[in-house]
Structures are given as C-alpha cells and as structure tokens.
C-alpha cells in the first residue's frame, strides 16, 4: 500500500509489519442496519519519524450470500484519530494567522464542511493579501487580480476548484458568510490551499536559501582568489 505519513510527509510502501487493521461487525439492526467498524493503525517506517497514525471508519454492511458472515457495502463516516486532522505540517515562516485558519479548517472538515470551507476561504484570502499584496472588496476580485501573476498551471488549479459546487459562490461573497458545501468540496478547497503553500511560500523560501548559498559560495571563492593573489 502506497502511503504518505501525515507527520513527516515522506512517501512509503506499507507492509503488514507496519499496518494493522481490525474489523468488527455489529449485527444488531438499528436504523443504520448492520454496521462494520474498521480501525487502521499504521506506523511510519521512516526511522526518523516512526510515529503512529490511527483511523476509524464506519461502514454499512450486509449479510454475505449464504449467510456466511458479512461484507462492507457503503462507507458512512471516517474519524482521523491520530493525528486528529488531515492537515500537513507547515513551516514557521508562514504567518501564524494564516496557518491557524488552515489547521482549523482541516480539523473540522468532516464535522462541519461549511464551516471548514469558510475558514479555508479566509485562509486563501490571507495568503493572497500577504504573499501578493492584493486587497480587494471580495475574494473573487482578489483572485482575479493575481491572474496574470501566477503560473498557468496554478491558475488552472484555482479555476478548477472555483467551478465546483458552491465554492464559486463562496468566492463572490464576504468571507464570513457561511454557505452549504459538500464534504468533498471542502476537502478540495483545503487541498488547493496546500498546493499554494508549496507553490508560493515554500518555493520562495527554498529559492532564497539556494540564492544565499550561491552568494556565500561566490564570496568564499572571491576571498580565496584574493588570498592567493
């Protein structure tokens, strides 16, 4: 199983040694019918991390043909127990107010998609104002203002997310207005934000580090040349 650790963000292939899954079926017929509880524990194989993740899932189940046990029919709900959200770790050089909105949006994504989308929208506005220095009446206008300043692929990703469900309506209203969205729409919005963190803040920071290293190396070579002259 291909897997990305939510703690260290390393990609890994998970084997049976690192993954334990336990399934239990509750045959008592409630309003949900027969249900299955699945608990997955994965230990990161990266020795520098080695942290455990724990996820619980609830499925609607049914009796197998012939009555020999049960099988999962429909996924009902997922709880991310450890870590308690799907948020990726962000570097400290990004403004705390921006990262706080992102972390909270991820934490309540399953519990309240519409509240999550509202926080994600505020996070996106904060990123545009902070990184690009753009401030307009609405988030829609702020996004339009950076159209010619972002690379085409990034703009295509922003446009694609804006076309989904009620996300586009979110962009045109005040960021504090709460609008109903589907859970997958809220997830797409946070996924877009994660891409923009990488494309804007992290890429800029890494570029600055490479440039500083190059300048330092050039200065050392010049001092060495002067010493040898």
């Amino acid at each position: 199983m291909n897997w990305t650790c939510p703690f260290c963000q390393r990609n890994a292939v998970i084997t049976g040694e690192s993954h334990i899954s336990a399934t239990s079926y509750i045959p008592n017929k409630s309003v949900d019918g027969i249900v299955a509880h699945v608990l997955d524990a994965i230990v990161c194989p990266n020795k520098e991390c080695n942290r455990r993740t724990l996820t619980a899932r609830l499925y609607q189940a049914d009796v197998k043909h012939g009555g020999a046990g049960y099988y999962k029919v429909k996924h009902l709900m997922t709880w991310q127990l450890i870590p308690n959200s799907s948020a990726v770790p962000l570097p400290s050089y990004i403004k705390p107010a921006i990262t706080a909105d992102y972390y909270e949006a991820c934490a309540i994504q399953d519990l309240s998609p519409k509240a999550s989308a509202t926080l994600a929208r505020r996070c996106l506005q904060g990123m545009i104002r902070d990184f690009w220095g753009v401030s307009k009446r609405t988030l829609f206008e702020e996004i339009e203002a950076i159209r010619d300043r972002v690379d085409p692929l990034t703009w295509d990703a922003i446009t694609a997310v804006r076309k989904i469900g009620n996300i586009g309506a979110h962009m045109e209203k005040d960021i504090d207005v709460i609008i109903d969205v589907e859970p997958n729409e809220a997830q797409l919005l946070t996924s877009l934000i994660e891409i923009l963190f990488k494309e804007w803040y992290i890429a800029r920071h890494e570029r600055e580090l490479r440039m500083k290293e190059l300048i330092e190396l050039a200065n050392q070579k010049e001092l060495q040349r002067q010493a040898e002259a």
Side-chain angles (χ1 to χ4, degrees):
M1 178 176 66
N2 294 321
W3 178 76
T4 301
C5 177
F7 294 104
C8 67
Q9 296 300 300
R10 296 281 188 89
N11 296 323
V13 176
I14 301 301
T15 62
E17 295 180 354
S18 301
H19 179 209
I20 297 176
S21 182
T23 302
S24 61
Y25 293 92
I26 310 299
N28 304 60
K29 291 187 177 181
S30 65
V31 291
D32 298 317
I34 301 170
V35 296
H37 302 144
V38 180
L39 190 64
D40 283 297
I42 299 176
V43 177
C44 180
N46 173 21
K47 293 182 179 179
E48 296 177 358
C49 177
N50 202 224
R51 299 184 69 175
R52 183 185 307 275
T53 64
L54 193 62
T55 306
R57 295 181 178 87
L58 180 67
Y59 293 87
Q60 187 178 11
D62 203 348
V63 180
K64 288 184 179 179
H65 181 68
Y70 308 96
Y71 67 99
K72 298 187 287 291
V73 176
K74 178 183 178 182
H75 173 258
L76 299 176
M77 192 170 293
T78 296
W79 296 271
Q80 186 65 45
L81 304 177
I82 304 175
N84 62 3
S85 84
S86 60
V88 299
L90 295 174
S92 59
Y93 52 77
I94 301 176
K95 284 188 175 180
I98 295 174
T99 58
D101 281 340
Y102 163 72
Y103 286 136
E104 189 172 350
C106 291
I108 63 172
Q109 189 169 274
D110 294 325
L111 182 64
S112 178
K114 61 184 179 182
S116 173
T118 300
L119 285 163
R121 197 161 42 120
R122 189 169 73 178
C123 176
L124 179 57
Q125 184 176 66
M127 294 170 70
I128 293 173
R129 291 182 173 184
D130 175 59
F131 190 88
W132 295 105
V134 170
S135 181
K136 301 287 185 180
R137 187 178 60 87
T138 66
L139 177 57
F140 178 87
E141 293 175 353
E142 290 168 339
I143 291 174
E144 287 296 321
I146 65 171
R147 176 198 289 263
D148 298 327
R149 302 172 67 179
V150 301
D151 68 84
L153 279 177
T154 301
W155 179 255
D156 287 346
I158 295 173
T159 301
V161 172
R162 289 167 66 185
K163 290 180 179 179
I164 296 171
N166 283 329
I167 295 298
H170 266 267
M171 304 297 185
E172 297 178 13
K173 297 182 180 293
D174 185 89
I175 59 168
D176 293 324
V177 174
I178 297 177
I179 301 175
D180 283 331
V181 298
E182 297 295 326
N184 64 321
E185 295 175 8
Q187 183 178 7
L188 283 169
L189 193 50
T190 54
S191 296
L192 172 63
I193 287 172
E194 289 167 2
I195 292 172
L196 298 181
F197 276 133
K198 293 179 181 179
E199 293 292 322
W200 296 350
Y201 289 93
I202 296 175
R204 179 179 65 181
H205 181 73
E206 291 178 349
R207 179 178 178 273
E208 289 174 350
L209 290 179
R210 290 194 299 270
M211 290 300 178
K212 288 178 181 178
E213 290 174 356
L214 179 60
I215 293 170
E216 180 62 25
L217 179 60
N219 289 338
Q220 291 177 1
K221 292 293 185 181
E222 176 61 19
L223 291 174
Q224 182 179 356
R225 185 190 66 80
Q226 293 177 0
E228 292 173 353

